[in-house]
């Protein structure tokens, strides 16, 4: 299990907090666009190496982890955000669980034979990997508070395209999103996974558009604020970011944001650390197994007489013998 300053103007420099896994909130000064930059190193590396998925599956799960961190750190209350896909492609299921203030875990389930066939056919795009199904984002405030869930269809779309469809449908805010995952070799030759992402959303000022202007924009299929010059300018600047910049551990977040938005002016808030976690424990698994009767438990036994349960998230194996369940 992973381990359970004042705002400042971003300037061109190599100042680093030393954090390798974080979300950097920021706002552009001229255009008043809010954004977050995520960078994951040890967190995503631990998850992806542990499961040893094929690279395209790992890349998709790494993107999902970066996206969940971007969204989860924006929650204004203690709770969880669960990002989940379920589809008919070889990558039939993935889930990322984010718990405030900055803990994340995830895993994927894929069909090895169907994946191999898709790879052999040479059509291994992320859209074909997931196929048709849905992307669900669930916000769970905990306690007696009601969950909120938004769902969008997957139809051979990338995770980024599906997320943008979710933002358009559920939040109805102009949104820019870029996600990147890479596997890089270090100075010692050992390789490691890294993930990064950039998310910006434009909230138009109240009263910034008349009812007639809003209706005309909706007829053209545009969101409120999507035609604003400020938003279009910032979106164009955001589109210049390169994947390698999003995952580069030597490029300080302040420097990257200055590189992108120095003409706008950009103000950053304190970094929000991200770490891996898991909620599994031997006691929880024991309580789960106690719900089954003797015949059901007998069917679960392995050749050596033990009943073993492995956590899907962290791969920890919990073995039990008959005397453990008395």
């Amino acid at each position: 299990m992973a381990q359970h300053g004042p705002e400042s103007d971003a300037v061109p420099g190599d100042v680093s907090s030393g954090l390798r896994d974080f979300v950097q909130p920021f706002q552009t000064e001229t255009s008043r666009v809010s954004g977050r930059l995520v960078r994951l190193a040890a967190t995503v590396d631990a998850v992806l190496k542990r499961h040893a998925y094929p690279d395209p599956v790992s890349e998709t799960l790494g993107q999902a982890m970066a996206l969940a961190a971007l969204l989860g750190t924006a929650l204004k209350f203690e709770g969880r955000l669960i990002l989940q896909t379920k589809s008919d492609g070889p990558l039939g299921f993935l889930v990322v669980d984010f718990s405030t203030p900055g803990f994340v875990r995830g895993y994927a389930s894929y069909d090895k034979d169907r994946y191999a066939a898709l790879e052999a056919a040479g059509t291994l795009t992320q859209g074909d990997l997931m196929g048709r199904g849905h992307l669900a984002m669930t916000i769970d405030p905990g306690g007696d508070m009601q969950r909120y869930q938004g769902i969008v269809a997957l139809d051979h779309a990338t995770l980024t395209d599906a997320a943008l469809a979710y933002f358009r449908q559920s939040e109805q805010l102009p949104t820019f999103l870029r996600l990147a995952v890479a596997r890089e070799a270090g100075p010692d030759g050992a390789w490691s996974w890294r993930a990064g992402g950039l998310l910006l959303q434009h909230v138009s000022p109240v009263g910034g558009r008349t009812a007639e202007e809003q209706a005309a924009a909706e007829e053209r299929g545009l969101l409120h604020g999507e035609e604003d010059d400020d938003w279009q300018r910032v979106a164009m600047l955001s589109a210049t970011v390169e994947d390698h910049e999003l995952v580069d551990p030597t490029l300080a977040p302040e420097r990257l944001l200055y590189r992108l938005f120095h003409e706008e002016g950009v103000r950053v808030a304190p970094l929000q650390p991200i770490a891996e976690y898991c909620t599994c424990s031997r006691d929880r698994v024991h309580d789960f197994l106690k719900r089954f009767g003797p015949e059901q438990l007998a069917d679960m036994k392995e050749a050596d007489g033990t009943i073993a349960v492995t956590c899907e998230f962290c791969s920890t194996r919990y073995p039990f013998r008959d005397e453990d369940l008395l």
Side-chain angles (χ1 to χ4, degrees):
M1 182 185 298
Q3 62 180 358
H4 268 114
E7 292 188 347
S8 61
D9 290 319
V11 295
D14 292 311
V15 179
S16 173
S17 68
L19 282 175
R20 300 175 64 220
D21 297 71
F22 60 83
V23 169
Q24 173 70 80
F26 66 92
Q27 185 176 59
T28 59
E29 298 260 283
T30 301
S31 45
R32 309 293 294 176
V33 171
S34 296
R36 291 185 294 281
L37 171 72
V38 63
R39 192 169 287 160
L40 303 178
T43 300
V44 73
D45 188 55
V47 171
L48 300 185
K49 279 184 177 176
R50 179 185 301 130
H51 292 291
Y53 303 121
D55 283 0
V57 176
S58 291
E59 289 165 6
T60 304
L61 180 57
Q63 288 183 13
M65 291 178 67
L67 177 58
L70 285 169
L71 300 178
T73 49
L75 295 178
K76 304 301 183 184
F77 50 81
E78 293 186 6
R80 297 166 58 211
L81 180 141
I82 302 101
L83 184 156
Q84 177 180 312
T85 68
K86 189 171 183 180
S87 57
D88 64 3
L91 177 53
F93 177 83
L94 72 76
V95 61
V96 178
D97 185 335
F98 179 95
S99 180
T100 58
F103 298 103
V104 66
R105 59 180 183 163
Y107 77 92
S109 176
Y110 77 103
D111 186 307
K112 294 182 179 180
D113 292 337
R114 293 183 63 200
Y115 172 84
L118 190 65
E119 185 178 40
T123 58
L124 199 56
T125 66
Q126 189 178 88
D128 290 332
L129 191 62
M130 291 195 289
R132 292 186 175 90
H134 67 263
L135 164 69
M137 295 193 195
T138 305
I139 296 175
D140 182 6
D144 296 329
M145 299 182 68
Q146 188 173 2
R147 284 187 171 197
Y148 166 79
Q149 185 175 73
I151 298 177
V152 293
L154 284 171
D155 189 0
H156 296 274
T158 66
L159 185 64
T160 296
D161 288 340
L164 287 172
Y166 167 84
F167 295 131
R168 192 172 193 89
Q169 172 182 301
S170 299
E171 300 189 5
Q172 297 186 337
L173 293 175
T175 302
F176 173 90
L177 175 66
R178 182 77 165 267
L179 301 171
V181 175
R183 193 173 69 165
E184 299 179 347
D188 59 353
W191 57 265
S192 59
W193 287 99
R194 299 187 183 279
L198 180 65
L199 173 71
L200 292 99
Q201 291 186 309
H202 178 43
V203 181
S204 298
V206 176
R209 176 178 292 183
T210 66
E212 292 76 12
E213 291 172 331
Q214 176 65 14
E218 291 177 353
E219 285 184 4
R220 297 195 300 275
L222 298 172
L223 297 175
H224 185 33
E226 205 161 22
E227 290 183 305
D228 292 354
D229 290 342
D230 285 343
W231 167 250
Q232 292 192 2
R233 185 175 64 252
V234 172
M236 289 174 58
L237 293 171
S238 302
T240 66
V241 71
E242 301 285 347
D243 286 355
H244 69 87
E245 294 177 306
L246 292 174
V247 301
D248 185 356
T250 67
L251 180 58
E254 297 94 338
R255 187 175 182 85
L256 174 55
L257 293 175
Y258 181 87
R259 180 182 295 177
L260 293 171
F261 306 118
H262 63 275
E263 294 180 358
E264 293 291 305
V266 59
R267 178 172 290 271
V268 298
L271 292 176
Q272 298 175 251
I274 303 295
E276 184 199 3
Y277 86 120
C278 195
T279 60
C280 74
S281 69
R282 186 173 180 82
D283 287 343
R284 287 193 173 198
V285 176
H286 178 270
D287 291 343
F288 171 74
L289 291 175
K290 293 279 283 184
R291 302 174 187 174
F292 296 94
E295 293 184 1
Q296 293 170 305
L297 290 174
D299 291 338
M300 299 180 191
K301 288 185 178 179
E302 299 183 358
D304 63 358
T306 63
I307 296 174
V309 177
T310 301
C311 176
E312 294 278 14
F313 284 101
C314 69
S315 299
T316 300
R317 185 174 182 271
Y318 297 98
F320 294 86
R321 295 193 173 275
D322 289 339
E323 57 268 25
D324 297 326
L325 300 173
L326 295 177

